[in-house]
Amino acid sequence: MSDHKTHFGFSTVDENEKAGKVAEVFHSVAKNYDIMNDVMSGGLHRVWKHFTINTARLKKGDKVLDIAGGTGDLSRGWAKRVGKEGEVWLTDINSSMLTVGRDRLLNEGLILPVSLADAEKLPFPDNYFNLVSVAFGLRNMTHKDAALKEMHRVLKPGGTLLVLEFSKVYKPLEGVYDLYSFKLLPVMGKLIAKDADSYQYLAESIRMHPDQETLKQMMLDAGFDSVDYHNMSAGIVALHKGVKF
Ligand SMILES: C[S@@+](CC[C@H](N)C(=O)[O-])C[C@H]1O[C@@H](n2cnc3c(N)ncnc32)[C@H](O)[C@@H]1O
């Protein structure tokens, strides 16, 4: 037990417990993760990721780190952009998610380096990557400030961080979004993934995640410059971008 508390969805837990609880969620959902993403978002997650991939200014031969990469949607996009001469690392803290991602990419003929890695202690050298991405992962991390600092450390000067994450929806839509998140989402999770609790956690963790301006400030505090964000789907998600100078 430590004196430090944090959030796991709407529950307050000991800091030492959070990573284990998050691990349970993703071990449980890994097999159905991709189908659930399509069903829950009505396919919109593909648009959000497509926009993210097109935002990056990458060139052939660049080095990219996909943190909390899960089943590999962004990694696949990065690999196409940097070509065979580039380097794209698919990483995640969760072996079940990473195994699904690795197998999926292999089935598509993409052989990428894969690493089980905690974003808070990245096993990569300083100043190595041209781009670091994290999609729908930051929300689940216990020490987001430490993770952002690690992302800054491994980027080359001039390199970019892209954070795609759920954010604060526009006020007029809050009622209907809450109804969807807290009534429909857990039912879908139960029917499709046989796991209502993980999707209840998803809805709760989104509400506890820093809003657009707070995350922008956190990125500035971690050392990033030129930080800005772009809302998508009325703020349901936001893409934050920061540069290491
Ligand atoms: C919602 S999934 C996102 C997967 C993928 N990036 C996507 O957009 O589909 C969140 C991922 O974050 C990973 N994760 C949670 N905490 C992490 C940490 N401290 N370091 C690395 N990955 C973490 C989980 O294991 C999970 O695979």
Side-chain angles (χ1 to χ4, degrees), residues 168-218:
K168 181 106 177 122
V169 73
Y170 294 173
K171 200 136 189 71
L173 294 182
E174 271 177 2
V176 65
Y177 188 49
D178 278 353
L179 204 67
Y180 172 78
S181 309
F182 293 108
K183 298 289 180 217
L184 263 180
L185 208 57
V187 175
M188 285 184 197
K190 190 169 175 190
L191 289 177
I192 300 168
K194 312 277 175 274
D195 181 357
D197 290 350
S198 294
Y199 289 91
Q200 177 73 26
Y201 163 71
L202 169 66
E204 294 182 7
S205 66
I206 291 171
R207 297 311 185 283
M208 299 310 290
H209 189 63
D211 65 12
Q212 287 84 340
E213 282 296 322
T214 311
L215 178 54
K216 178 177 174 177
Q217 188 56 51
M218 287 167 71

Side-chain angles (χ1 to χ4, degrees), residues 1 7 46 85 114 141 196:
M1 290 281 284
H7 299 290
R46 292 170 185 258
E85 56 274 56
V114 171
M141 294 170 193

Side-chain angles (χ1 to χ4, degrees), residues 57-63 78-87 130:
R57 292 206 192 103
L58 282 173
K59 47 185 193 327
K60 299 283 177 203
D62 276 355
K63 296 188 177 81
W78 302 140
K80 287 183 183 152
R81 298 287 298 278
V82 303
K84 284 209 167 19
E85 56 274 56
E87 197 175 307
N130 300 92

Side-chain angles (χ1 to χ4, degrees), residues 22 26 33 37 45 49 66-74 91-94 97 117-120 134-137 139-142:
V22 170
F26 288 103
Y33 179 81
N37 265 356
H45 78 104
K49 288 169 179 164
D66 187 12
I67 293 178
T71 59
D73 281 344
L74 287 189
T91 70
D92 199 286
I93 201 172
N94 189 289
M97 292 292 285
D118 182 351
E120 298 180 20
V134 54
F136 305 111
R139 196 182 68 246
N140 301 293
M141 294 170 193
T142 309

